[in-house]
Amino acid sequence: MEVTINPTVLVVNCGSSSLKFAIVDPASGEQYLTGLAEALGLPEANISWRFGDAEKQKDSLASGADHTAALTYLEEHILEGKPELMKSFIAVGHRVVSGGELFTHPTLITDEVVKGIEQCIPLAPLHNPAHLLGIAAARRLFADLPHVAIFDTAFHQTMPAKAFMYPLPNELYKDHAIRRYGAHGTSHYYVTCEAAKLLGKPLSETNIITAHLGNGGSVSAIKNGKCVDTSMGLTPLEGIVMGTRCGDIDPSIVFFLIDTLGYSVEDVRNTLNKKSGLLGLSGKTSDFRGVIEGLEQGDEQCKLAFDIYCYRLAKYIASYYVAVGKVDALIFTGGIGENSMPMRSTVLKLLEGFGFVEDEAGNAAARFGNSGLITKAGSTKSFVIPTNEELVIAQGSAEFAK
Ligand code: AMP
């Protein structure tokens, strides 16, 4: 007997050498399948996947397999013998890092839209070309389905000019679109909607600060349900301390590195993007768990990395009181935000002046995918809310289902 399942969206998130996929029910959020193809273009190309909570499976792909090969494997092998899943697709949703000023909402992909995503390549030089590979492959393989682009930058397009403009010569914005765009928009949007539910308020009256803290990280100011400021800028290098990215620094450091230390532009790019942040400060690891381990073993550099991370994060959150006004709640999400009790505890203490009082039991309980209130009664509220970017992509794409 054939099993029937609800309509689903195939969610695709391509990196230059990876392809993450999920089959998601946009109504319930249930993920029937999740998987990842890695090392694409290399001899060790491989793919792993899991149906629901079943055991993870893994296979090698042909040496040098590309994005098309990974999606073909999904269609021909992983979904083989699962006609109910194949038949359940109503759309394919593609995560796209930068839509610049061109795209402010989920967008049905046409040849014209592909050109728009190409135009935004200078704003996301590592990501957008990879997304285009995935889009081209998926449009060929799933030609009968609507393909929809969901942009990380879209949620931030409501920022006013005073938040998105840099104090640079005007023509750099007018002629070259140099401005702040932000990132992680789908995550900030998801936790904003969830926070509104937890606060019992309509989205249009929800005033919060959201901290998405993963390998990359950003903080957003949300006023009346809309983004009014965010910490990432033209690219994801601006803002808080990240795994390997420096976040905010004096731009003159770039001149110092080039003029005094003889760095090439590529050396500077590499240092600020790949060798800084937690990795640079700890001298050991870009992984927050590693920093905590080091700190617990008395490693001074890990302790300093942790302190700088929390201090700079708390300063960003404090500054967003200017953007939001009266704040209903502070939200933590992302791998670090959802799991690191010591980080949350330290940040809440630094923000004591804004009325935050940690509830230690609540903070300890909010881990491993649990959401919860982590502040005491009478305190300004702070919640942990596990993010769900796949669901936002699935829901945005389902709007275009035939
Ligand atoms: P993401 O990019 O959202 O997957 O987050 C990755 C980051 O989350 C890494 O820095 C991890 O070390 C961190 N992370 C994951 N689990 C934990 C945990 N239990 N405690 C602290 N950090 C964690």
Side-chain angles (χ1 to χ4, degrees), residues 212-216 243 278 286-290 292 333-341 367-368 387:
H212 173 103
L213 310 173
N215 274 325
L278 294 173
S286 62
D287 191 291
F288 206 78
R289 278 168 297 202
I292 299 282
T333 194
I336 301 171
E338 290 167 31
N339 292 298
S340 181
M341 193 184 76
R367 295 184 75 188
F368 308 127
T387 195

Side-chain angles (χ1 to χ4, degrees), residues 168 237-239 246-258 268 271-272 276 312 315-316:
L168 291 170
L237 192 52
E238 188 178 341
C246 57
D248 297 345
I249 57 167
D250 180 344
S252 291
I253 292 171
V254 173
F255 314 138
F256 191 96
L257 294 176
I258 293 172
V268 175
T271 300
L272 303 189
S276 299
R312 286 188 163 229
K315 278 207 303 183
Y316 248 107

Side-chain angles (χ1 to χ4, degrees), residues 129-197:
H131 302 323
L132 287 164
L133 290 175
I135 288 170
R139 283 178 89 199
R140 269 197 309 274
L141 285 171
F142 301 97
D144 295 340
L145 291 169
H147 289 252
V148 182
I150 309 290
F151 297 92
D152 275 14
T153 45
F155 183 55
H156 304 303
Q157 278 295 306
T158 49
M159 283 194 287
K162 67 182 173 192
F164 76 65
M165 290 286 289
Y166 287 111
L168 291 170
N170 231 322
E171 59 271 19
L172 289 180
Y173 170 60
K174 287 211 176 109
D175 301 341
H176 303 286
I178 295 180
R179 51 158 283 179
R180 312 184 60 256
Y181 292 97
H184 301 131
T186 48
S187 177
H188 289 288
Y189 172 69
Y190 176 79
V191 298
T192 298
C193 297
E194 292 302 299
K197 289 183 208 159

Side-chain angles (χ1 to χ4, degrees), residues 97-101 119-125 176-177 179 181 234-236:
V97 163
S98 183
E101 290 184 322
Q119 270 178 42
C120 297
I121 286 176
L123 302 172
H176 303 286
R179 51 158 283 179
Y181 292 97
L234 177 74
T235 73

